[in-house]
Amino acid sequence: MQFSKNLCLLLASATSIGAAAVAGPARPSYIPHGVPVLSNKPYPNTTIAGVTVIDTPIVRLAREFTRNHSSEAVYKHQMRSWLFGTLLIANNETLRNSVDLEVHAVAAILHDLGWDTTPNSPVTTYDHRFEVDGAIASRKFIEQYGDSNWDARRTQLVWDAIALHTTRTIGYYKELEVQLTSMGISVDYDGLRPGVTNETFTQIITEYPNFDLKQATNDTFIFICATKPEQTYDNQLQPWGERYVANYTTKGNLRIDHIFDHL
């Protein structure tokens, strides 16, 4: 995993602040552990494409990490998905009071790591669905770069959000962070939801144009069907294999073909 010099310096400075401080009376210090970052309280932020977003070291690292492991089209899709999801949260009081912005950001920004098609990619495998590849890579990323506030539950929320982002019939009934990750992604494909207006949608696709999303999606799904077909028979990628990949067949490979083999 490689990052820019500026981000490496950022991490280094964050760890050295305590050592550089003027010595004084010892005081008990509170180290947050598993505390959600909510919109209803002050939080580090910046503005991207007119949208106020959380701006913490791990979010910045996630943006660079996904850029290093994504094509330009896929990187833009992940950024748009994050921004759309952020708008859904910001424009709903219940969500503002409930959704962990940092969890949502990391999940949305890293959700398609499993689309990396480069040879010998460190974030993909031949024996996992692309969603699971992305979830596993994201968990490793958090374990390496997350601070003490990234407890097991927050990390698991990111894992679940990424693993389930294409399975709406399950993901939409999970925790809000899982739901909002998938819903933000859906805006990039399906159009507006409450909280995203024509104006804000246009601002985002002007900053991160979406003209190449269809081609990137088709190319990636066809690549996955061709290179690891066993991971596509039970999910939405199956039609891409049947239509576009030579010798791809579901015959004898579906659950219905074997569910009663031992009965």
Side-chain angles (χ1 to χ4, degrees), residues 33-67:
H33 189 68
V35 178
V37 183
L38 304 178
S39 302
N40 60 5
K41 297 178 181 178
Y43 61 91
N45 66 81
T46 189
T47 301
I48 301 176
V51 181
T52 300
V53 295
I54 186 168
D55 186 36
T56 60
I58 196 170
V59 172
R60 276 172 266 166
L61 288 169
R63 289 169 58 188
E64 183 156 346
F65 187 75
T66 201
R67 185 154 216 161

Side-chain angles (χ1 to χ4, degrees), residues 154-220:
R154 296 180 84 222
T155 302
Q156 188 65 48
L157 284 173
V158 171
W159 199 100
D160 289 351
I162 294 175
L164 294 171
H165 78 265
T166 63
T167 312
R168 300 178 186 179
T169 50
I170 298 175
Y172 281 13
Y173 298 91
K174 288 278 290 175
E175 294 85 352
L176 289 173
E177 290 81 2
V178 179
Q179 295 181 41
L180 267 296
T181 299
S182 183
M183 290 177 181
I185 296 164
S186 77
V187 174
D188 209 26
Y189 284 101
D190 303 330
L192 305 183
R193 282 178 172 269
V196 181
T197 65
N198 283 313
E199 180 182 0
T200 54
F201 185 89
T202 300
Q203 287 176 340
I204 290 169
I205 65 170
T206 298
E207 183 75 17
Y208 298 103
N210 63 354
F211 66 90
D212 45 8
L213 178 59
K214 180 178 179 180
Q215 188 68 50
T217 302
N218 278 327
D219 289 348
T220 303

Side-chain angles (χ1 to χ4, degrees), residues 1-198:
M1 299 182 187
Q2 295 184 350
F3 298 102
S4 69
K5 181 178 179 181
N6 288 341
L7 282 171
C8 290
L9 290 173
L10 170 68
L11 286 174
S13 64
T15 58
S16 65
I17 289 174
V22 177
R27 298 178 181 177
S29 59
Y30 170 68
I31 300 176
H33 189 68
V35 178
V37 183
L38 304 178
S39 302
N40 60 5
K41 297 178 181 178
Y43 61 91
N45 66 81
T46 189
T47 301
I48 301 176
V51 181
T52 300
V53 295
I54 186 168
D55 186 36
T56 60
I58 196 170
V59 172
R60 276 172 266 166
L61 288 169
R63 289 169 58 188
E64 183 156 346
F65 187 75
T66 201
R67 185 154 216 161
N68 291 342
H69 293 286
S70 304
S71 68
E72 182 66 14
V74 177
Y75 169 73
K76 291 185 299 180
H77 163 60
Q78 293 176 115
M79 290 295 292
R80 290 192 303 268
S81 299
W82 172 38
L83 296 173
F84 290 140
T86 300
L87 286 173
L88 299 179
I89 297 166
N91 288 284
N92 181 293
E93 183 177 4
T94 298
L95 299 179
R96 290 198 304 271
N97 294 332
S98 307
V99 176
D100 188 327
L101 296 178
E102 195 171 46
V103 165
H104 169 257
V106 172
I109 293 168
L110 301 181
H111 81 265
D112 273 339
L113 285 178
W115 283 22
D116 188 1
T117 60
T118 56
N120 302 312
S121 167
V123 297
T124 59
T125 69
Y126 287 102
D127 55 359
H128 297 140
R129 286 176 54 153
F130 79 81
E131 301 95 332
V132 174
D133 275 341
I136 292 172
S138 297
R139 180 168 58 197
K140 291 178 180 178
F141 170 85
I142 293 168
E143 289 171 349
Q144 185 166 1
Y145 297 105
D147 59 23
S148 61
N149 199 36
W150 280 93
D151 64 349
R153 181 178 184 279
R154 296 180 84 222
T155 302
Q156 188 65 48
L157 284 173
V158 171
W159 199 100
D160 289 351
I162 294 175
L164 294 171
H165 78 265
T166 63
T167 312
R168 300 178 186 179
T169 50
I170 298 175
Y172 281 13
Y173 298 91
K174 288 278 290 175
E175 294 85 352
L176 289 173
E177 290 81 2
V178 179
Q179 295 181 41
L180 267 296
T181 299
S182 183
M183 290 177 181
I185 296 164
S186 77
V187 174
D188 209 26
Y189 284 101
D190 303 330
L192 305 183
R193 282 178 172 269
V196 181
T197 65
N198 283 313

